[in-house]
Amino acid sequence: MNESVPYQGRFAPSPTGPLHFGSLLAACASYLQARRAAGRWLLRIEDIDPPRSQAGASEEIIKALEIYGFQWDGDVIYQSTATERHHSALRQLALDGHTYACSCSRRDLANAPRGPQGTIYPGTCRSGTSGTEYAVRVRTHDEAICFDDLLQGQHCERLQTESGDFVVLRRDGLIAYHLAAVVDDAEQGITEVVRGIDLLDSTARHIHLQKLLKLPTPEYLHIPVVIGPDGQKLSKLTGARALPVDDPRATLLHAFAALRLPVAPDLGSSTIDDIWQWAVANWDVTELQGQKEISGYPGSMAAP
Ligand code: GLU
């Protein structure tokens, strides 16, 4: 990390539902990294996908974070207020010849090759399309894009063969997550991105966009995914329960234990502020080095 630039981290939940234990771990890890570095920690609500958003989820997420004792710096940032900035980046990519319109439907791509990240776009519209409804894709290349994840080690991807040219403006006119995240991380001066390992495979795409838009690349740290009681990865899709808000201290201590903090039983009687102070003083992210999965989902949160 460039020591002369002050640490700036963020937690960037999408309001597609309430926070669950897995998202709490991502929030805790990014918060602890920022506080441990005496840096700033921003809260960015990624509300640019109305079809996937759930009414009231942003407020619910903010409320839960407050109850769990998180203190963000500055105001909550709503990504939906920055769509002009996202479109300006999109125009820049187009002006520089990095994008093209793509009218391929899901059905058109049904026979395209598939990789670990889904359909590998075969470049069908690279040299033109006649459709009237279209998405905008960014051109990729086949040189390896490599980065050193602070927990997961070196990760390399050849975008053209492993995921193909990817969408930056969706067919429904919405800016795609990858572009918005990259533009906002740069705008907000994020020096280290801490998030769940499910986004490890998106990072090469993010670095590709940063290069094309001449934006800095932050450090990346992807934390392991939580394995639920059924042995499945915990996610909103697998029905993870909303964080309980009646006794946040117990769940917070479960989260700290899952993050390999040396939690002692008597901590449970401390105030939430004291618990956080203890956690910042004892946080050592290297305890999670190379780990891809975390068990330790609290039984108290298992589905009834
Ligand atoms: N908004 C994304 C999510 O809730 C996280 C994005 C990121 O941290 O880059 O999964």
Side-chain angles (χ1 to χ4, degrees):
M1 188 169 40
N2 183 343
E3 299 294 338
S4 63
V5 180
Y7 186 105
Q8 187 122 283
R10 47 68 156 185
F11 178 53
S14 302
T16 49
L19 292 182
H20 56 75
F21 191 69
S23 31
L24 176 66
L25 290 196
C28 286
S30 69
Y31 192 65
L32 289 167
Q33 278 291 96
R35 294 295 176 238
R36 181 80 193 183
R40 284 167 57 82
W41 187 74
L42 310 182
L43 174 57
R44 182 170 84 216
I45 302 285
E46 299 206 321
D47 56 345
I48 49 159
D49 190 351
R52 286 188 62 230
S53 295
Q54 204 182 80
S58 299
E59 294 74 15
E60 212 177 327
I61 289 171
I62 294 168
K63 187 90 214 142
L65 290 171
E66 269 167 4
I67 291 173
Y68 275 75
F70 290 90
Q71 294 177 5
W72 45 92
D73 293 293
D75 293 334
V76 177
I77 301 160
Y78 290 89
Q79 201 167 39
S80 57
T81 60
T83 47
E84 182 40 47
R85 180 160 74 223
H86 306 149
H87 280 277
S88 151
L90 182 67
R91 281 193 295 275
Q92 192 57 50
L93 290 173
L95 277 173
D96 293 343
H98 296 309
T99 59
Y100 60 90
C102 170
S103 59
C104 291
S105 63
R106 247 176 242 268
R107 194 188 303 162
D108 294 333
L109 297 175
N111 295 323
R114 288 185 68 80
Q117 301 164 48
T119 302
I120 301 170
Y121 184 69
T124 321
C125 297
R126 264 194 162 209
S127 47
T129 177
S130 54
T132 49
E133 273 188 35
Y134 54 84
V136 174
R137 287 184 187 268
V138 68
R139 292 175 201 277
T140 54
H141 54 67
D142 224 13
E143 281 155 42
I145 295 179
C146 295
F147 62 99
D148 287 313
D149 186 272
L150 295 172
L151 279 186
Q152 308 302 336
Q154 198 188 54
H155 194 82
C156 293
E157 208 178 317
R158 293 180 189 276
L159 286 178
Q160 199 177 105
T161 39
E162 293 179 52
S163 54
D165 299 344
F166 58 94
V167 170
V168 280
L169 182 74
R170 291 167 20 175
R171 215 178 158 89
D172 59 8
L174 294 171
I175 293 282
Y177 152 71
H178 300 300
L179 181 58
V182 160
V183 168
D184 289 357
D185 282 340
E187 173 70 23
Q188 286 143 21
I190 301 303
T191 57
E192 184 176 284
V193 170
V194 180
R195 58 188 177 193
I197 202 169
D198 52 316
L199 290 165
L200 184 67
D201 285 340
S202 297
T203 307
R205 278 173 271 188
H206 294 182
I207 295 173
H208 181 58
L209 288 173
Q210 286 152 0
K211 298 269 178 294
L212 296 181
L213 290 163
K214 302 180 181 58
L215 299 174
T217 294
E219 299 281 355
Y220 285 98
L221 189 161
H222 288 87
I223 66 153
V225 70
V226 181
I227 301 300
D230 54 358
Q232 296 289 314
K233 291 176 187 171
L234 194 68
S235 79
K236 286 169 199 166
L237 292 178
T238 58
R241 287 181 63 181
L243 287 178
V245 286
D246 42 351
D247 181 15
R249 288 177 306 176
T251 309
L252 198 55
L253 292 179
H254 277 300
F256 289 164
L259 291 170
R260 302 268 180 109
L261 274 154
V263 175
D266 60 339
L267 254 182
S269 51
S270 307
T271 65
I272 209 142
D273 286 351
D274 286 347
I275 293 177
W276 272 116
Q277 221 174 2
W278 170 87
V280 172
N282 287 279
W283 173 240
D284 179 5
V285 75
T286 60
E287 290 286 325
L288 295 168
Q289 200 77 51
Q291 209 177 313
K292 300 214 171 342
E293 294 181 352
I294 296 183
S295 49
Y297 184 69
S300 55
M301 283 188 64

